[in-house]
Amino acid sequence: MTTTDSTHPTDSARDGSRLRDLIAGCSIAGLLLPEAVAYAGIANLPPQAGLIGLLVGLVVYGLAGTSRFAVVSATSSSAAVLAAITLSMSGADPAQRLLLAAGLVILSGFFLMLAGLAKLGGITEFIAKPVLRGFTFGLAITIILKQLASVVGVHPAHNDLPRFTYEMLGQLSAWNVNALIVALVALALLFGMSRWKNVPGPLVVIVLGIAASHGVDLHHFGIGQVGTIDLADLSFSIPDLSRSQWLRLGELAFALVLILYAESYSSIRSFALKHGDSTSADRDLLALGFANLGSGLLHGMPVGAGYSATSANEAAGATSRLAGWCAAVVVAVIVALLLPQLALTPEPVLAAIVAYAVSHTLRLSVFRPYWSWQRDRVLVVAACVAVLLLGVLDGLLAGIGVSLLLTLRNFSEPRVSQLGRLGTSHNYVDVSKHPEATIPPGLLIARPEAPLFFANVERILLRVRHLAEAEQGAVHTVIISLEETPDLDGSTIEALRTFAAGVASRGRRLLLVRLKPPALDVLTRSADDTLPLGALHELSVDEAVQSLALEAIGADAPAT
């Protein structure tokens, strides 16, 4: 009797969790299915490509992933990047574009799997968050404007957004007002239903659109429909592409991998931190790789753990990956039973779903923290402007390039602080920030505020030399604290030895302190007369100063 009473609450809790997962899965299925079809349109792929990616992503990540909330499906960002890459390589050939898209998704999955096998999951920040936020903001504007052009039936010749927008507005008299009204009504319904979290707004507007298609001759008003969704001839195959095309796709696949992993791991990690869950970045890389490889071989969309779908899954009450499997079953049932009906979906309704899905990133509040922190303002704005002016792919690469350049600039031009003792404590602090700190007589204590490496070591050591010369010959010992440097490359070791020789030629002594074990090991192996073992220490600055003081006392003591 006691055993039954103790296990009953656990069984009830387990049953309750499963019920919540089933409800969550049914709820997000209504969101994911319309978005999958809509994102296929962004990628310039047939609608079945989105459905294939959705089903493969949900099943594979549910089996191999580690996050209990992540929903792996087509995303607007990856769809836009894929469209830009395939358009640049195929021109106006739709058949070639399908083959290139499949090859690109396959290679992206392969690269993600390689990264997982190489245990590169710890390198989670392929794209800095300011770049990602600026990119998604600019991407949302781009997607909405291009969906608007598609709805009203105009086709500007230029792809860059300024000229695209100018040409679209220049053809105002040719706009299909009927289609625009349908899109605006659908959009109003979506935002109106967003107040009820458990109501799948996109699915509701699709059902209403299909009902309207049955009751009204939409073609009479110039309103197109999704058309045939062909899942009958699925084949598990590698696209027939030339060697040069595979090589070019391999180069461009890195851009798609970057956006997929940056977006996915940001979602996975955010919800793991929120709920105190443990995840494995390496395993998630493998799961995403398998999902994209499977989707590509079936000629589906690239897939990742988008924040909006993952957030919707959590908000719907999901407690495990069972919710994703349930969503996959619901989507599969709908596709199996209602595929001809889905083909009747009005295109303006899909455009409204796309605009609604990306609208959550279209908030000026995403820029506010960078202004209040006074950090990365140039980066977030540059990423946004680059997407708007250069296009999705070139804009993403330009944003990453700006991020790397700013990082290299910060590393190559670091501050070098001169340290002094704070009162009678053991703490040594920057004298420019703490004027009350005292500098021990005869000592120059310098601390580079960035890791030493080949691009900045010469500049840093020159700055230390200038600090020593500014003391007008009073310095007999130069102490450099390398607490910010985890390891040393060959160029840095050579520069340190040259610097040590210069210090010795001026009758001074050099001590390198706060050395991390890898840096100490390599300097120990490279020790010579110019940089002897006695100059290398794991000691703190205070311990090094005390050691020098004891040496001075011993040297002054009379011989016995």
Side-chain angles (χ1 to χ4, degrees), residues 413-450:
E413 299 180 359
R415 285 186 62 253
V416 177
S417 300
Q418 184 174 1
L419 306 184
R421 186 177 181 182
L422 193 61
T424 58
S425 70
H426 300 291
N427 299 320
Y428 281 76
V429 296
D430 185 353
V431 295
S432 67
K433 301 291 180 62
H434 298 273
E436 70 276 16
T438 57
I439 301 174
L443 301 183
L444 170 68
I445 307 170
R447 180 181 66 203
E449 301 298 344

PDB file of all heavy atoms in Angstrom, residues 413-450:
ATOM      1  N   GLU A 413      45.243  46.703 -30.916  1.00  0.00           N
ATOM      2  CA  GLU A 413      45.512  48.000 -30.287  1.00  0.00           C
ATOM      3  C   GLU A 413      45.021  48.010 -28.841  1.00  0.00           C
ATOM      4  O   GLU A 413      44.192  48.827 -28.453  1.00  0.00           O
ATOM      5  CB  GLU A 413      44.821  49.115 -31.073  1.00  0.00           C
ATOM      6  CG  GLU A 413      45.296  49.243 -32.517  1.00  0.00           C
ATOM      7  CD  GLU A 413      44.593  50.366 -33.254  1.00  0.00           C
ATOM      8  OE1 GLU A 413      43.724  51.016 -32.635  1.00  0.00           O
ATOM      9  OE2 GLU A 413      44.902  50.592 -34.424  1.00  0.00           O
ATOM     10  N   PRO A 414      45.505  47.089 -28.021  1.00  0.00           N
ATOM     11  CA  PRO A 414      45.021  47.033 -26.633  1.00  0.00           C
ATOM     12  C   PRO A 414      45.675  48.093 -25.749  1.00  0.00           C
ATOM     13  O   PRO A 414      46.746  48.624 -26.076  1.00  0.00           O
ATOM     14  CB  PRO A 414      45.446  45.632 -26.192  1.00  0.00           C
ATOM     15  CG  PRO A 414      46.692  45.388 -26.973  1.00  0.00           C
ATOM     16  CD  PRO A 414      46.489  46.057 -28.297  1.00  0.00           C
ATOM     17  N   ARG A 415      45.047  48.353 -24.654  1.00  0.00           N
ATOM     18  CA  ARG A 415      45.634  49.234 -23.636  1.00  0.00           C
ATOM     19  C   ARG A 415      46.709  48.469 -22.879  1.00  0.00           C
ATOM     20  O   ARG A 415      46.632  47.263 -22.694  1.00  0.00           O
ATOM     21  CB  ARG A 415      44.568  49.711 -22.651  1.00  0.00           C
ATOM     22  CG  ARG A 415      43.634  50.763 -23.187  1.00  0.00           C
ATOM     23  CD  ARG A 415      42.720  51.283 -22.094  1.00  0.00           C
ATOM     24  NE  ARG A 415      43.437  51.919 -21.014  1.00  0.00           N
ATOM     25  CZ  ARG A 415      43.606  51.399 -19.790  1.00  0.00           C
ATOM     26  NH1 ARG A 415      43.115  50.225 -19.478  1.00  0.00           N
ATOM     27  NH2 ARG A 415      44.263  52.055 -18.860  1.00  0.00           N
ATOM     28  N   VAL A 416      47.693  49.192 -22.419  1.00  0.00           N
ATOM     29  CA  VAL A 416      48.696  48.652 -21.504  1.00  0.00           C
ATOM     30  C   VAL A 416      48.624  49.485 -20.238  1.00  0.00           C
ATOM     31  O   VAL A 416      48.901  50.692 -20.251  1.00  0.00           O
ATOM     32  CB  VAL A 416      50.113  48.698 -22.111  1.00  0.00           C
ATOM     33  CG1 VAL A 416      51.133  48.207 -21.095  1.00  0.00           C
ATOM     34  CG2 VAL A 416      50.179  47.870 -23.380  1.00  0.00           C
ATOM     35  N   SER A 417      48.216  48.854 -19.153  1.00  0.00           N
ATOM     36  CA  SER A 417      48.048  49.574 -17.889  1.00  0.00           C
ATOM     37  C   SER A 417      49.335  49.514 -17.073  1.00  0.00           C
ATOM     38  O   SER A 417      50.001  48.472 -17.022  1.00  0.00           O
ATOM     39  CB  SER A 417      46.913  48.952 -17.064  1.00  0.00           C
ATOM     40  OG  SER A 417      45.691  49.000 -17.763  1.00  0.00           O
ATOM     41  N   GLN A 418      49.664  50.638 -16.443  1.00  0.00           N
ATOM     42  CA  GLN A 418      50.756  50.649 -15.468  1.00  0.00           C
ATOM     43  C   GLN A 418      50.141  50.449 -14.090  1.00  0.00           C
ATOM     44  O   GLN A 418      49.182  51.142 -13.724  1.00  0.00           O
ATOM     45  CB  GLN A 418      51.529  51.964 -15.526  1.00  0.00           C
ATOM     46  CG  GLN A 418      52.743  51.982 -14.597  1.00  0.00           C
ATOM     47  CD  GLN A 418      53.593  53.223 -14.771  1.00  0.00           C
ATOM     48  OE1 GLN A 418      53.268  54.092 -15.586  1.00  0.00           O
ATOM     49  NE2 GLN A 418      54.680  53.321 -14.017  1.00  0.00           N
ATOM     50  N   LEU A 419      50.677  49.496 -13.339  1.00  0.00           N
ATOM     51  CA  LEU A 419      50.060  49.109 -12.083  1.00  0.00           C
ATOM     52  C   LEU A 419      50.798  49.693 -10.887  1.00  0.00           C
ATOM     53  O   LEU A 419      52.021  49.894 -10.906  1.00  0.00           O
ATOM     54  CB  LEU A 419      50.022  47.578 -11.952  1.00  0.00           C
ATOM     55  CG  LEU A 419      49.369  46.798 -13.095  1.00  0.00           C
ATOM     56  CD1 LEU A 419      49.337  45.307 -12.764  1.00  0.00           C
ATOM     57  CD2 LEU A 419      47.970  47.309 -13.386  1.00  0.00           C
ATOM     58  N   GLY A 420      50.016  49.962  -9.847  1.00  0.00           N
ATOM     59  CA  GLY A 420      50.553  50.412  -8.577  1.00  0.00           C
ATOM     60  C   GLY A 420      49.829  49.725  -7.436  1.00  0.00           C
ATOM     61  O   GLY A 420      48.743  49.164  -7.618  1.00  0.00           O
ATOM     62  N   ARG A 421      50.424  49.794  -6.245  1.00  0.00           N
ATOM     63  CA  ARG A 421      49.840  49.102  -5.093  1.00  0.00           C
ATOM     64  C   ARG A 421      48.747  49.959  -4.468  1.00  0.00           C
ATOM     65  O   ARG A 421      48.937  51.156  -4.236  1.00  0.00           O
ATOM     66  CB  ARG A 421      50.929  48.801  -4.073  1.00  0.00           C
ATOM     67  CG  ARG A 421      50.463  47.969  -2.897  1.00  0.00           C
ATOM     68  CD  ARG A 421      51.629  47.669  -1.986  1.00  0.00           C
ATOM     69  NE  ARG A 421      51.224  46.847  -0.858  1.00  0.00           N
ATOM     70  CZ  ARG A 421      52.034  46.473   0.123  1.00  0.00           C
ATOM     71  NH1 ARG A 421      53.312  46.876   0.103  1.00  0.00           N
ATOM     72  NH2 ARG A 421      51.597  45.715   1.106  1.00  0.00           N
ATOM     73  N   LEU A 422      47.627  49.329  -4.179  1.00  0.00           N
ATOM     74  CA  LEU A 422      46.492  50.036  -3.585  1.00  0.00           C
ATOM     75  C   LEU A 422      46.596  49.979  -2.071  1.00  0.00           C
ATOM     76  O   LEU A 422      46.332  48.950  -1.441  1.00  0.00           O
ATOM     77  CB  LEU A 422      45.180  49.393  -4.046  1.00  0.00           C
ATOM     78  CG  LEU A 422      43.886  50.174  -3.789  1.00  0.00           C
ATOM     79  CD1 LEU A 422      43.911  51.521  -4.510  1.00  0.00           C
ATOM     80  CD2 LEU A 422      42.689  49.358  -4.256  1.00  0.00           C
ATOM     81  N   GLY A 423      47.028  51.110  -1.493  1.00  0.00           N
ATOM     82  CA  GLY A 423      47.162  51.201  -0.040  1.00  0.00           C
ATOM     83  C   GLY A 423      48.162  50.195   0.489  1.00  0.00           C
ATOM     84  O   GLY A 423      49.257  50.023  -0.053  1.00  0.00           O
ATOM     85  N   THR A 424      47.805  49.505   1.571  1.00  0.00           N
ATOM     86  CA  THR A 424      48.664  48.478   2.155  1.00  0.00           C
ATOM     87  C   THR A 424      48.207  47.072   1.766  1.00  0.00           C
ATOM     88  O   THR A 424      48.644  46.083   2.347  1.00  0.00           O
ATOM     89  CB  THR A 424      48.651  48.603   3.689  1.00  0.00           C
ATOM     90  OG1 THR A 424      47.299  48.474   4.156  1.00  0.00           O
ATOM     91  CG2 THR A 424      49.211  49.944   4.140  1.00  0.00           C
ATOM     92  N   SER A 425      47.305  46.996   0.785  1.00  0.00           N
ATOM     93  CA  SER A 425      46.764  45.702   0.372  1.00  0.00           C
ATOM     94  C   SER A 425      47.745  44.988  -0.545  1.00  0.00           C
ATOM     95  O   SER A 425      48.834  45.487  -0.856  1.00  0.00           O
ATOM     96  CB  SER A 425      45.427  45.889  -0.342  1.00  0.00           C
ATOM     97  OG  SER A 425      45.642  46.495  -1.605  1.00  0.00           O
ATOM     98  N   HIS A 426      47.346  43.803  -0.982  1.00  0.00           N
ATOM     99  CA  HIS A 426      48.130  43.042  -1.944  1.00  0.00           C
ATOM    100  C   HIS A 426      47.644  43.265  -3.370  1.00  0.00           C
ATOM    101  O   HIS A 426      48.072  42.560  -4.279  1.00  0.00           O
ATOM    102  CB  HIS A 426      48.051  41.550  -1.608  1.00  0.00           C
ATOM    103  CG  HIS A 426      48.577  41.198  -0.256  1.00  0.00           C
ATOM    104  ND1 HIS A 426      49.921  41.274   0.082  1.00  0.00           N
ATOM    105  CD2 HIS A 426      47.936  40.795   0.877  1.00  0.00           C
ATOM    106  CE1 HIS A 426      50.084  40.924   1.338  1.00  0.00           C
ATOM    107  NE2 HIS A 426      48.891  40.626   1.849  1.00  0.00           N
ATOM    108  N   ASN A 427      46.766  44.218  -3.553  1.00  0.00           N
ATOM    109  CA  ASN A 427      46.156  44.450  -4.858  1.00  0.00           C
ATOM    110  C   ASN A 427      46.942  45.487  -5.656  1.00  0.00           C
ATOM    111  O   ASN A 427      47.276  46.561  -5.134  1.00  0.00           O
ATOM    112  CB  ASN A 427      44.710  44.931  -4.693  1.00  0.00           C
ATOM    113  CG  ASN A 427      43.853  43.902  -3.983  1.00  0.00           C
ATOM    114  OD1 ASN A 427      43.984  42.703  -4.231  1.00  0.00           O
ATOM    115  ND2 ASN A 427      42.981  44.361  -3.093  1.00  0.00           N
ATOM    116  N   TYR A 428      47.200  45.167  -6.912  1.00  0.00           N
ATOM    117  CA  TYR A 428      47.864  46.097  -7.818  1.00  0.00           C
ATOM    118  C   TYR A 428      46.872  46.483  -8.910  1.00  0.00           C
ATOM    119  O   TYR A 428      46.317  45.611  -9.582  1.00  0.00           O
ATOM    120  CB  TYR A 428      49.123  45.458  -8.409  1.00  0.00           C
ATOM    121  CG  TYR A 428      50.278  45.491  -7.438  1.00  0.00           C
ATOM    122  CD1 TYR A 428      50.326  44.598  -6.367  1.00  0.00           C
ATOM    123  CD2 TYR A 428      51.291  46.441  -7.550  1.00  0.00           C
ATOM    124  CE1 TYR A 428      51.365  44.642  -5.450  1.00  0.00           C
ATOM    125  CE2 TYR A 428      52.335  46.501  -6.639  1.00  0.00           C
ATOM    126  CZ  TYR A 428      52.363  45.587  -5.595  1.00  0.00           C
ATOM    127  OH  TYR A 428      53.380  45.649  -4.685  1.00  0.00           O
ATOM    128  N   VAL A 429      46.663  47.795  -9.066  1.00  0.00           N
ATOM    129  CA  VAL A 429      45.610  48.304  -9.931  1.00  0.00           C
ATOM    130  C   VAL A 429      46.180  49.333 -10.894  1.00  0.00           C
ATOM    131  O   VAL A 429      47.303  49.824 -10.732  1.00  0.00           O
ATOM    132  CB  VAL A 429      44.469  48.933  -9.103  1.00  0.00           C
ATOM    133  CG1 VAL A 429      43.784  47.876  -8.243  1.00  0.00           C
ATOM    134  CG2 VAL A 429      44.985  50.079  -8.226  1.00  0.00           C
ATOM    135  N   ASP A 430      45.389  49.687 -11.897  1.00  0.00           N
ATOM    136  CA  ASP A 430      45.775  50.658 -12.915  1.00  0.00           C
ATOM    137  C   ASP A 430      45.879  52.047 -12.270  1.00  0.00           C
ATOM    138  O   ASP A 430      44.907  52.569 -11.718  1.00  0.00           O
ATOM    139  CB  ASP A 430      44.721  50.663 -14.019  1.00  0.00           C
ATOM    140  CG  ASP A 430      45.091  51.547 -15.195  1.00  0.00           C
ATOM    141  OD1 ASP A 430      46.097  52.272 -15.120  1.00  0.00           O
ATOM    142  OD2 ASP A 430      44.350  51.517 -16.198  1.00  0.00           O
ATOM    143  N   VAL A 431      47.065  52.645 -12.333  1.00  0.00           N
ATOM    144  CA  VAL A 431      47.276  53.935 -11.669  1.00  0.00           C
ATOM    145  C   VAL A 431      46.499  55.053 -12.352  1.00  0.00           C
ATOM    146  O   VAL A 431      46.219  56.088 -11.723  1.00  0.00           O
ATOM    147  CB  VAL A 431      48.780  54.284 -11.611  1.00  0.00           C
ATOM    148  CG1 VAL A 431      49.532  53.299 -10.734  1.00  0.00           C
ATOM    149  CG2 VAL A 431      49.377  54.345 -13.011  1.00  0.00           C
ATOM    150  N   SER A 432      46.158  54.895 -13.629  1.00  0.00           N
ATOM    151  CA  SER A 432      45.379  55.940 -14.291  1.00  0.00           C
ATOM    152  C   SER A 432      43.945  55.970 -13.772  1.00  0.00           C
ATOM    153  O   SER A 432      43.285  57.006 -13.833  1.00  0.00           O
ATOM    154  CB  SER A 432      45.377  55.716 -15.810  1.00  0.00           C
ATOM    155  OG  SER A 432      44.675  54.533 -16.151  1.00  0.00           O
ATOM    156  N   LYS A 433      43.447  54.845 -13.289  1.00  0.00           N
ATOM    157  CA  LYS A 433      42.103  54.778 -12.715  1.00  0.00           C
ATOM    158  C   LYS A 433      42.124  54.975 -11.205  1.00  0.00           C
ATOM    159  O   LYS A 433      41.106  55.353 -10.609  1.00  0.00           O
ATOM    160  CB  LYS A 433      41.472  53.414 -13.046  1.00  0.00           C
ATOM    161  CG  LYS A 433      41.361  53.115 -14.531  1.00  0.00           C
ATOM    162  CD  LYS A 433      40.337  54.007 -15.199  1.00  0.00           C
ATOM    163  CE  LYS A 433      40.224  53.689 -16.702  1.00  0.00           C
ATOM    164  NZ  LYS A 433      39.776  52.331 -16.975  1.00  0.00           N
ATOM    165  N   HIS A 434      43.269  54.717 -10.579  1.00  0.00           N
ATOM    166  CA  HIS A 434      43.407  54.850  -9.122  1.00  0.00           C
ATOM    167  C   HIS A 434      44.665  55.677  -8.822  1.00  0.00           C
ATOM    168  O   HIS A 434      45.734  55.115  -8.554  1.00  0.00           O
ATOM    169  CB  HIS A 434      43.511  53.471  -8.467  1.00  0.00           C
ATOM    170  CG  HIS A 434      42.299  52.621  -8.673  1.00  0.00           C
ATOM    171  ND1 HIS A 434      41.196  52.657  -7.848  1.00  0.00           N
ATOM    172  CD2 HIS A 434      42.025  51.695  -9.642  1.00  0.00           C
ATOM    173  CE1 HIS A 434      40.289  51.787  -8.284  1.00  0.00           C
ATOM    174  NE2 HIS A 434      40.764  51.210  -9.364  1.00  0.00           N
ATOM    175  N   PRO A 435      44.551  57.005  -8.889  1.00  0.00           N
ATOM    176  CA  PRO A 435      45.728  57.853  -8.662  1.00  0.00           C
ATOM    177  C   PRO A 435      46.344  57.659  -7.286  1.00  0.00           C
ATOM    178  O   PRO A 435      47.526  57.975  -7.077  1.00  0.00           O
ATOM    179  CB  PRO A 435      45.169  59.283  -8.811  1.00  0.00           C
ATOM    180  CG  PRO A 435      43.908  59.117  -9.600  1.00  0.00           C
ATOM    181  CD  PRO A 435      43.358  57.794  -9.218  1.00  0.00           C
ATOM    182  N   GLU A 436      45.552  57.152  -6.329  1.00  0.00           N
ATOM    183  CA  GLU A 436      46.072  56.960  -4.981  1.00  0.00           C
ATOM    184  C   GLU A 436      47.005  55.769  -4.875  1.00  0.00           C
ATOM    185  O   GLU A 436      47.714  55.590  -3.862  1.00  0.00           O
ATOM    186  CB  GLU A 436      44.908  56.785  -3.984  1.00  0.00           C
ATOM    187  CG  GLU A 436      44.125  55.476  -4.113  1.00  0.00           C
ATOM    188  CD  GLU A 436      43.037  55.489  -5.171  1.00  0.00           C
ATOM    189  OE1 GLU A 436      43.068  56.403  -6.029  1.00  0.00           O
ATOM    190  OE2 GLU A 436      42.159  54.609  -5.135  1.00  0.00           O
ATOM    191  N   ALA A 437      47.029  54.911  -5.897  1.00  0.00           N
ATOM    192  CA  ALA A 437      47.906  53.741  -5.876  1.00  0.00           C
ATOM    193  C   ALA A 437      49.361  54.191  -5.993  1.00  0.00           C
ATOM    194  O   ALA A 437      49.680  55.154  -6.697  1.00  0.00           O
ATOM    195  CB  ALA A 437      47.552  52.796  -7.010  1.00  0.00           C
ATOM    196  N   THR A 438      50.254  53.481  -5.298  1.00  0.00           N
ATOM    197  CA  THR A 438      51.678  53.857  -5.288  1.00  0.00           C
ATOM    198  C   THR A 438      52.488  52.864  -6.106  1.00  0.00           C
ATOM    199  O   THR A 438      52.250  51.651  -6.058  1.00  0.00           O
ATOM    200  CB  THR A 438      52.217  53.892  -3.856  1.00  0.00           C
ATOM    201  OG1 THR A 438      52.012  52.616  -3.242  1.00  0.00           O
ATOM    202  CG2 THR A 438      51.495  54.952  -3.032  1.00  0.00           C
ATOM    203  N   ILE A 439      53.448  53.404  -6.853  1.00  0.00           N
ATOM    204  CA  ILE A 439      54.317  52.561  -7.676  1.00  0.00           C
ATOM    205  C   ILE A 439      55.590  52.266  -6.889  1.00  0.00           C
ATOM    206  O   ILE A 439      56.279  53.201  -6.451  1.00  0.00           O
ATOM    207  CB  ILE A 439      54.658  53.278  -8.991  1.00  0.00           C
ATOM    208  CG1 ILE A 439      53.379  53.601  -9.775  1.00  0.00           C
ATOM    209  CG2 ILE A 439      55.598  52.433  -9.828  1.00  0.00           C
ATOM    210  CD1 ILE A 439      53.620  54.438 -11.013  1.00  0.00           C
ATOM    211  N   PRO A 440      55.919  50.993  -6.651  1.00  0.00           N
ATOM    212  CA  PRO A 440      57.151  50.673  -5.919  1.00  0.00           C
ATOM    213  C   PRO A 440      58.362  51.288  -6.608  1.00  0.00           C
ATOM    214  O   PRO A 440      58.465  51.242  -7.837  1.00  0.00           O
ATOM    215  CB  PRO A 440      57.198  49.141  -5.962  1.00  0.00           C
ATOM    216  CG  PRO A 440      55.775  48.722  -6.169  1.00  0.00           C
ATOM    217  CD  PRO A 440      55.171  49.797  -7.020  1.00  0.00           C
ATOM    218  N   PRO A 441      59.274  51.880  -5.857  1.00  0.00           N
ATOM    219  CA  PRO A 441      60.438  52.547  -6.464  1.00  0.00           C
ATOM    220  C   PRO A 441      61.297  51.552  -7.249  1.00  0.00           C
ATOM    221  O   PRO A 441      61.540  50.432  -6.811  1.00  0.00           O
ATOM    222  CB  PRO A 441      61.191  53.106  -5.253  1.00  0.00           C
ATOM    223  CG  PRO A 441      60.679  52.347  -4.074  1.00  0.00           C
ATOM    224  CD  PRO A 441      59.287  51.975  -4.391  1.00  0.00           C
ATOM    225  N   GLY A 442      61.728  52.017  -8.424  1.00  0.00           N
ATOM    226  CA  GLY A 442      62.612  51.214  -9.253  1.00  0.00           C
ATOM    227  C   GLY A 442      61.903  50.165 -10.093  1.00  0.00           C
ATOM    228  O   GLY A 442      62.569  49.444 -10.840  1.00  0.00           O
ATOM    229  N   LEU A 443      60.573  50.084  -9.965  1.00  0.00           N
ATOM    230  CA  LEU A 443      59.846  49.048 -10.692  1.00  0.00           C
ATOM    231  C   LEU A 443      58.887  49.674 -11.701  1.00  0.00           C
ATOM    232  O   LEU A 443      58.274  50.703 -11.426  1.00  0.00           O
ATOM    233  CB  LEU A 443      59.041  48.162  -9.734  1.00  0.00           C
ATOM    234  CG  LEU A 443      59.792  47.413  -8.641  1.00  0.00           C
ATOM    235  CD1 LEU A 443      58.821  46.543  -7.850  1.00  0.00           C
ATOM    236  CD2 LEU A 443      60.907  46.568  -9.231  1.00  0.00           C
ATOM    237  N   LEU A 444      58.785  49.023 -12.837  1.00  0.00           N
ATOM    238  CA  LEU A 444      57.700  49.316 -13.778  1.00  0.00           C
ATOM    239  C   LEU A 444      56.870  48.044 -13.879  1.00  0.00           C
ATOM    240  O   LEU A 444      57.390  46.994 -14.265  1.00  0.00           O
ATOM    241  CB  LEU A 444      58.226  49.703 -15.156  1.00  0.00           C
ATOM    242  CG  LEU A 444      57.136  49.782 -16.242  1.00  0.00           C
ATOM    243  CD1 LEU A 444      56.198  50.956 -15.986  1.00  0.00           C
ATOM    244  CD2 LEU A 444      57.739  49.868 -17.637  1.00  0.00           C
ATOM    245  N   ILE A 445      55.591  48.143 -13.508  1.00  0.00           N
ATOM    246  CA  ILE A 445      54.702  46.989 -13.570  1.00  0.00           C
ATOM    247  C   ILE A 445      53.663  47.284 -14.647  1.00  0.00           C
ATOM    248  O   ILE A 445      52.859  48.215 -14.506  1.00  0.00           O
ATOM    249  CB  ILE A 445      54.018  46.722 -12.219  1.00  0.00           C
ATOM    250  CG1 ILE A 445      55.067  46.635 -11.106  1.00  0.00           C
ATOM    251  CG2 ILE A 445      53.200  45.443 -12.276  1.00  0.00           C
ATOM    252  CD1 ILE A 445      54.473  46.609  -9.709  1.00  0.00           C
ATOM    253  N   ALA A 446      53.677  46.515 -15.713  1.00  0.00           N
ATOM    254  CA  ALA A 446      52.782  46.751 -16.852  1.00  0.00           C
ATOM    255  C   ALA A 446      51.887  45.526 -17.055  1.00  0.00           C
ATOM    256  O   ALA A 446      52.304  44.386 -16.857  1.00  0.00           O
ATOM    257  CB  ALA A 446      53.579  47.041 -18.119  1.00  0.00           C
ATOM    258  N   ARG A 447      50.670  45.798 -17.464  1.00  0.00           N
ATOM    259  CA  ARG A 447      49.725  44.704 -17.741  1.00  0.00           C
ATOM    260  C   ARG A 447      49.001  44.985 -19.054  1.00  0.00           C
ATOM    261  O   ARG A 447      48.177  45.896 -19.140  1.00  0.00           O
ATOM    262  CB  ARG A 447      48.697  44.587 -16.615  1.00  0.00           C
ATOM    263  CG  ARG A 447      47.677  43.453 -16.856  1.00  0.00           C
ATOM    264  CD  ARG A 447      46.662  43.397 -15.737  1.00  0.00           C
ATOM    265  NE  ARG A 447      45.829  44.595 -15.710  1.00  0.00           N
ATOM    266  CZ  ARG A 447      45.179  45.034 -14.630  1.00  0.00           C
ATOM    267  NH1 ARG A 447      45.283  44.380 -13.489  1.00  0.00           N
ATOM    268  NH2 ARG A 447      44.447  46.131 -14.694  1.00  0.00           N
ATOM    269  N   PRO A 448      49.281  44.202 -20.108  1.00  0.00           N
ATOM    270  CA  PRO A 448      48.494  44.319 -21.351  1.00  0.00           C
ATOM    271  C   PRO A 448      47.052  43.894 -21.074  1.00  0.00           C
ATOM    272  O   PRO A 448      46.806  42.891 -20.402  1.00  0.00           O
ATOM    273  CB  PRO A 448      49.182  43.336 -22.304  1.00  0.00           C
ATOM    274  CG  PRO A 448      50.533  43.089 -21.709  1.00  0.00           C
ATOM    275  CD  PRO A 448      50.357  43.223 -20.235  1.00  0.00           C
ATOM    276  N   GLU A 449      46.105  44.659 -21.600  1.00  0.00           N
ATOM    277  CA  GLU A 449      44.685  44.372 -21.335  1.00  0.00           C
ATOM    278  C   GLU A 449      44.057  43.493 -22.411  1.00  0.00           C
ATOM    279  O   GLU A 449      42.839  43.506 -22.591  1.00  0.00           O
ATOM    280  CB  GLU A 449      43.911  45.694 -21.227  1.00  0.00           C
ATOM    281  CG  GLU A 449      44.403  46.620 -20.131  1.00  0.00           C
ATOM    282  CD  GLU A 449      44.262  46.026 -18.736  1.00  0.00           C
ATOM    283  OE1 GLU A 449      43.518  45.040 -18.583  1.00  0.00           O
ATOM    284  OE2 GLU A 449      44.910  46.533 -17.798  1.00  0.00           O
ATOM    285  N   ALA A 450      44.891  42.727 -23.105  1.00  0.00           N
ATOM    286  CA  ALA A 450      44.400  41.779 -24.114  1.00  0.00           C
ATOM    287  C   ALA A 450      45.448  40.692 -24.258  1.00  0.00           C
ATOM    288  O   ALA A 450      46.614  40.883 -23.897  1.00  0.00           O
ATOM    289  CB  ALA A 450      44.162  42.472 -25.454  1.00  0.00           C
TER     290      ALA A 450
END
